[in-house]
Amino acid sequence: MPYLEVQHEKSLEAEKMETANIAAVATEMSQTRTTAAVQTTVLKKTLDIQAQHAAQLVEAAADVIPSNPPHLGNRIDTAA
């Protein structure tokens, strides 16, 4: 085989490999974007649930009836 034909075949193989590499990188980038979008959605949902639970805790704390008599806990002994 003449030298030019061998070089041409190598060039075609290199182009095929480059095209395959580009396709693989594009696929990986697409998968990465999809994964990031799913993770962001899950994070937002988790934050919403935490906010709801925090609001429920605040409401529950407001409904607590004090168990001490009203005269207790009104003074602080600063001389001790």
Side-chain angles (χ1 to χ4, degrees):
M1 231 182 214
Y3 177 75
L4 290 177
E5 288 181 26
V6 171
Q7 290 297 1
H8 180 69
E9 286 179 20
K10 288 182 180 178
S11 176
L12 288 176
E13 288 178 28
E15 286 180 21
K16 288 178 186 177
M17 289 182 66
E18 186 175 318
T19 303
N21 288 341
I22 290 171
V25 168
T27 301
E28 186 175 336
M29 287 175 62
S30 175
Q31 289 173 346
T32 302
R33 277 192 224 117
T34 302
T35 300
V38 168
Q39 290 173 341
T40 302
T41 302
V42 170
L43 176 63
K44 287 179 182 179
K45 191 72 156 173
T46 302
L47 291 175
D48 289 344
I49 291 170
Q50 283 184 337
Q52 290 173 356
H53 287 205
Q56 289 173 354
L57 284 173
V58 169
E59 287 176 20
D63 295 338
V64 173
I65 300 171
S67 61
N68 289 337
H71 68 281
L72 292 179
N74 293 330
R75 299 185 185 168
I76 298 174
D77 184 8
T78 57

